[in-house]
Amino acid sequence: IDLGAPEPTGRSLTTTADVGPAPLPFAVDEHSLGLLTSQAAVWFELATGREIFRVDVERPERVEAVFCVADAETYYLIVSGPRRPEAAQMLLHPRWHRSPLVSGVLLAIDRQDGSLRWRSNVTDTNCPLDPPKSVPFLNLTSVNWPKDNATAPSSSSLALVDKRSGQTMIRTNDPGDGQHLIRPNASQRTISVRTRTKELRLEYSPK
């Protein structure tokens, strides 16, 4: 595998790993690169080409997209199978181009040892590629599109998913496209979540 990571000499790094046929690359961060194989997701160190770890993944028969986002302790790997037709249209809109529509599996993976923390199925869900790192939850949005080929969703729901367990803490339903604002207050250990029709105030423990 040619990882294409340039050394100071200008040469590309190569690595040897058993990845099977037609692996799909996915971006991770400035230090590592991922490959989705037929049975696993494999992380490589960009500086050396060394395999860091691999995680078993039940890959859909047809994979349309793979995304990986991270916080200080966890990688969140999103493997999407076939998506609704508006998925491509949404990526062109400023509101959604960093929250792609996915239908597949979401895995939380420990950054230190590659162990699987939890796994969740997601269907017609917008997963943010830049989630707030200072809050203890992921903000996942599901939008409902009318059947008359309208250019905007009619209603939406926002799920706040606990990063530690993968359980949904709160789910709200609102009209419109699911826009929301998250404002953490570290000194008061509170988080304000505002949607079109609701405002939530959450208290949390630093642990």
Side-chain angles (χ1 to χ4, degrees):
I1 303 169
D2 183 355
L3 295 182
E7 293 181 336
T9 60
R11 295 177 299 173
S12 292
L13 292 173
T14 59
T15 187
T16 301
D18 181 12
V19 297
L24 297 174
F26 58 88
V28 178
D29 54 33
E30 65 271 22
H31 305 295
S32 52
L33 171 76
L35 287 178
L36 180 68
T37 74
S38 59
Q39 297 180 326
V42 189
W43 271 253
F44 294 94
E45 188 177 68
L46 277 176
T48 64
R50 177 182 64 89
E51 179 177 327
I52 304 172
F53 54 70
R54 60 177 60 204
V55 180
D56 291 341
V57 176
E58 295 181 12
R59 174 172 167 168
E61 183 175 344
R62 191 177 99 211
V63 177
E64 285 198 359
V66 184
F67 305 100
C68 183
V69 297
D71 59 23
E73 300 178 351
T74 310
Y75 288 123
Y76 301 97
L77 181 67
I78 307 156
V79 181
S80 180
R83 298 175 288 175
R84 289 171 21 182
E86 59 266 21
Q89 175 187 346
M90 294 177 76
L91 289 176
L92 300 177
H93 193 283
R95 166 72 182 89
W96 299 110
H97 79 282
R98 294 294 294 171
S99 292
L101 183 70
V102 298
S103 286
V105 63
L106 168 62
L107 302 100
I109 300 162
D110 190 288
R111 292 187 64 158
Q112 297 300 315
D113 59 14
S115 60
L116 181 64
R117 293 188 167 184
W118 50 263
R119 176 188 185 280
S120 179
N121 292 323
V122 290
T123 303
D124 294 335
T125 300
N126 290 86
C127 293
L129 301 185
D130 306 297
K133 296 183 179 180
S134 58
V135 299
F137 55 77
L138 296 174
N139 51 312
L140 308 182
T141 306
S142 297
V143 296
N144 299 314
W145 290 76
K147 298 183 181 299
D148 58 358
N149 296 320
T151 57
S154 59
S155 61
S156 61
S157 67
L158 171 66
L160 305 183
V161 176
D162 187 346
K163 289 180 176 179
R164 295 167 296 183
S165 66
Q167 299 297 313
T168 298
M169 303 160 48
I170 295 174
R171 184 183 297 275
T172 69
N173 295 291
D174 286 276
D177 61 4
Q179 291 193 50
H180 57 275
L181 180 65
I182 298 174
R183 287 183 173 173
N185 187 321
S187 62
Q188 297 182 9
R189 295 178 184 173
T190 61
I191 304 168
S192 171
V193 181
R194 179 177 294 179
T195 68
R196 286 184 178 272
T197 61
K198 301 176 180 67
E199 184 169 3
L200 310 174
R201 185 177 181 272
L202 311 176
E203 298 181 355
Y204 68 96
S205 165
K207 298 182 180 181

